[in-house]
Amino acid sequence: MIESTPMTEYNEKLVKYSVARRFIIKLGIMAHSYGPSAARLESYLTQVTETLGYQGIFHSTRSEIMYVFWKDDPMVQTQHVEKVEKGAFNMAKLARVGELVELVVAGEISLEDAYTLLDKIDKLPDPWGPFAKAISFLLIGVGFAGLMTGNIWDILLAGGLALVVYINVYIAHQFHGRLIELLPFSSAYIVGVLATFLKIFLPEINIQVVVLSSIIVLIPGFTVSAGIVEIVSDHVVSGSANLIAGITYLLKQFFGAWFGLATVSIFLPAIQENTVLYTSLNLWNPWIFLPLLFIGLGVAYQSLMRDFPWVILCCLVSYFGVIFGNSFEIEYLGTLMGAIVANIFGNLWARKFNRPTSIVLVPAITVMVSGSVGFQALFIAATEETSKGLNQFLQMFIVALVIAAGLLIANTIVRPKVTL
């Protein structure tokens, strides 16, 4: 005689299965909006699902997540497809989601309560408010201009125009809609107009340095690099979408800056080439600007205060890796070494503190953004030599491939813990 499972026990298992699915779906939607790559998100959802006692297959792209669940028989599956939007990086909320999942896995909180807490996490205010975010834009602009060895006017104007960019970003996010779509073009256009106009009175400024440093916080270098990494990791759909989105965003920024320069040139006298000797900061120590850049990135990515020292340290490790690689005078070796040591540090940190690797890795990789190379190349192609600019534009993809190779090599040296 076949023993049957009591109906009450069967219903309890069914309810738990339903609640677990609901929690995993919500977890995927929220985590996706905070910035992890498709590979990390899929691996993380798979691990959490298996820890809860079920099985699942997940497929994440830039615009949707597909969930497939089953309990015992893989032939009896439940499928769910959710449309999502790629949000901005928010390391504070990403960290809190990771902590919540650890509590669920440890059995210290029920799935029902965890589901409710996911909504509360999403509604939490950012740890760094509008004023701090504005200061981060200023610090990133000043720090990047300093590292590009701009003169004193370049650095001051980069910081001031970066604040103008933040105001435009803030207004766009307040009203949403078309303003968000126009954000890359409008920000670069405003900066292009102001920088070109100011060059009439300050001929010693370098427009390329000023414009690039002012909008560097918006340049999608990490998106381009992440797209290449995902393609290399066999996540072709998600990687291609990220790569195309990054290039499209970059082109909007370029056309905005170029059109801003052209607008002033049409209505005002032609801008003369620099005839005044630069007050160059080439001899200044980069340590003046590195802390400003790293702190600005930490705030811009909404890192929690307790994670801040590790974010700064990972950025420093990456920077030292770049310097060490460049000392051999082999092209791209610095970028490769920077990516390797940054990812090794991130993997070790995630294992030690059981926190998402992205918290420290994303800001460190951003220091090596390939998008800035692409923007400079387009600027050169439009204003100076077309062939030289297009050749440099191709370097953007080479840099992204080198970063991808560095991350993969690091993962073979130190096996990564499955985190967001």
Side-chain angles (χ1 to χ4, degrees):
M1 181 176 179
I2 301 175
E3 295 183 2
S4 60
T5 304
M7 186 58 67
T8 54
E9 184 181 344
Y10 175 79
N11 288 337
E12 184 180 353
K13 289 182 178 179
L14 189 63
V15 169
K16 286 184 178 179
Y17 178 53
S18 175
V19 172
R21 288 201 326 265
R22 190 164 170 258
F23 173 74
I24 295 296
I25 291 171
K26 183 69 173 179
L27 174 63
I29 295 170
M30 287 188 56
H32 182 279
S33 67
Y34 301 147
S37 66
R40 286 189 181 277
L41 180 59
E42 292 173 9
S43 298
Y44 190 69
L45 294 178
T46 300
Q47 184 190 57
V48 175
T49 303
E50 291 176 353
T51 302
L52 294 177
Y54 306 106
Q55 301 294 319
I57 297 176
F58 308 95
H59 182 64
S60 172
T61 68
R62 191 176 180 85
S63 58
E64 69 177 22
I65 306 176
M66 183 181 73
Y67 305 80
V68 178
F69 301 95
W70 69 91
K71 291 184 291 182
D72 303 314
D73 187 356
M75 301 300 290
V76 182
Q77 300 177 346
T78 302
Q79 182 174 329
H80 179 89
V81 178
E82 186 74 29
K83 184 178 181 181
V84 292
E85 293 183 3
K86 194 68 175 178
F89 288 103
N90 193 313
M91 299 308 168
K93 292 184 178 180
L94 194 68
R96 289 183 172 121
V97 167
E99 291 169 355
L100 177 62
V101 171
E102 291 299 324
L103 293 175
V104 171
V105 170
E108 297 179 20
I109 188 173
S110 68
L111 285 173
E112 294 87 347
D113 292 338
Y115 185 89
T116 303
L117 288 174
L118 281 177
D119 284 323
K120 290 184 179 180
I121 290 174
D122 197 39
K123 294 175 183 177
L124 285 174
D126 293 331
W128 303 100
F131 179 75
K133 192 78 177 286
I135 296 300
S136 75
F137 273 58
L138 184 149
L139 294 178
I140 292 172
V142 169
F144 194 81
L147 291 178
M148 289 187 71
T149 63
N151 62 48
I152 190 65
W153 284 113
D154 294 337
I155 293 171
L156 292 175
L157 289 177
L161 294 180
L163 286 176
V164 174
V165 171
Y166 173 75
I167 293 171
N168 189 44
V169 170
Y170 182 81
I171 293 173
H173 282 90
Q174 290 297 312
F175 293 95
H176 300 284
R178 294 236 176 233
L179 289 180
I180 295 290
E181 297 177 10
L182 288 172
L183 184 58
F185 179 88
S186 61
S187 296
Y189 176 76
I190 293 170
V191 168
V193 167
L194 293 176
T196 309
F197 178 76
L198 289 171
K199 187 172 176 63
I200 297 174
F201 306 98
L202 297 169
E204 61 266 34
I205 70 174
N206 186 325
I207 292 181
Q208 183 176 333
V209 171
V210 172
V211 172
L212 179 58
S213 301
S214 302
I215 64 173
I216 188 67
V217 69
L218 298 181
I219 284 182
F222 187 81
T223 303
V224 173
S225 299
I228 297 291
V229 172
E230 289 179 340
I231 290 174
V232 172
S233 303
D234 291 331
H235 291 76
V236 179
V237 176
S238 177
S240 300
N242 279 324
L243 181 60
I244 293 172
I247 294 174
T248 302
Y249 199 97
L250 187 64
L251 288 172
K252 289 179 181 179
Q253 289 181 309
F254 160 71
F255 285 120
W258 176 77
F259 191 51
L261 189 153
T263 300
V264 177
S265 300
I266 290 172
F267 293 102
L268 292 174
I271 299 171
Q272 300 296 321
E273 291 297 324
N274 292 341
T275 56
V276 180
L277 184 64
Y278 276 22
T279 309
S280 178
L281 297 180
N282 288 349
L283 300 178
W284 286 39
N285 196 315
W287 292 105
I288 298 174
F289 304 103
L290 280 172
L292 302 180
L293 179 60
F294 295 163
I295 292 171
L297 287 172
V299 174
Y301 286 130
Q302 296 294 332
S303 302
L304 291 171
M305 183 59 75
R306 63 172 168 165
D307 295 327
F308 232 88
W310 300 108
V311 172
I312 302 297
L313 184 56
C314 190
C315 288
L316 283 174
V317 167
S318 175
Y319 183 75
F320 283 132
V322 172
I323 292 177
F324 177 74
N326 287 338
S327 66
F328 293 95
E329 298 183 354
I330 300 175
E331 195 169 13
Y332 305 117
L333 181 60
T335 302
L336 179 67
M337 291 300 300
I340 290 174
V341 296
N343 200 17
I344 289 176
F345 179 91
N347 289 341
L348 292 174
W349 180 81
R351 285 180 173 276
K352 174 68 175 178
F353 296 100
N354 203 27
R355 295 174 68 73
T357 310
S358 299
I359 292 175
V360 296
L361 183 60
V362 171
I365 296 300
T366 302
V367 175
M368 301 181 290
V369 287
S370 57
S372 61
V373 178
F375 185 88
Q376 286 177 312
L378 292 172
F379 207 97
I380 292 172
T383 58
E384 298 177 21
E385 303 177 24
T386 302
S387 59
K388 179 182 176 182
L390 293 178
N391 287 336
Q392 187 169 333
F393 185 73
L394 293 176
Q395 291 183 21
M396 176 182 71
F397 299 100
I398 297 175
V399 171
L401 282 169
V402 170
I403 292 174
L407 298 179
L408 293 174
I409 292 170
N411 286 338
T412 61
I413 297 174
V414 177
R415 187 173 180 83
K417 186 178 185 297
V418 180
T419 64
L420 291 171

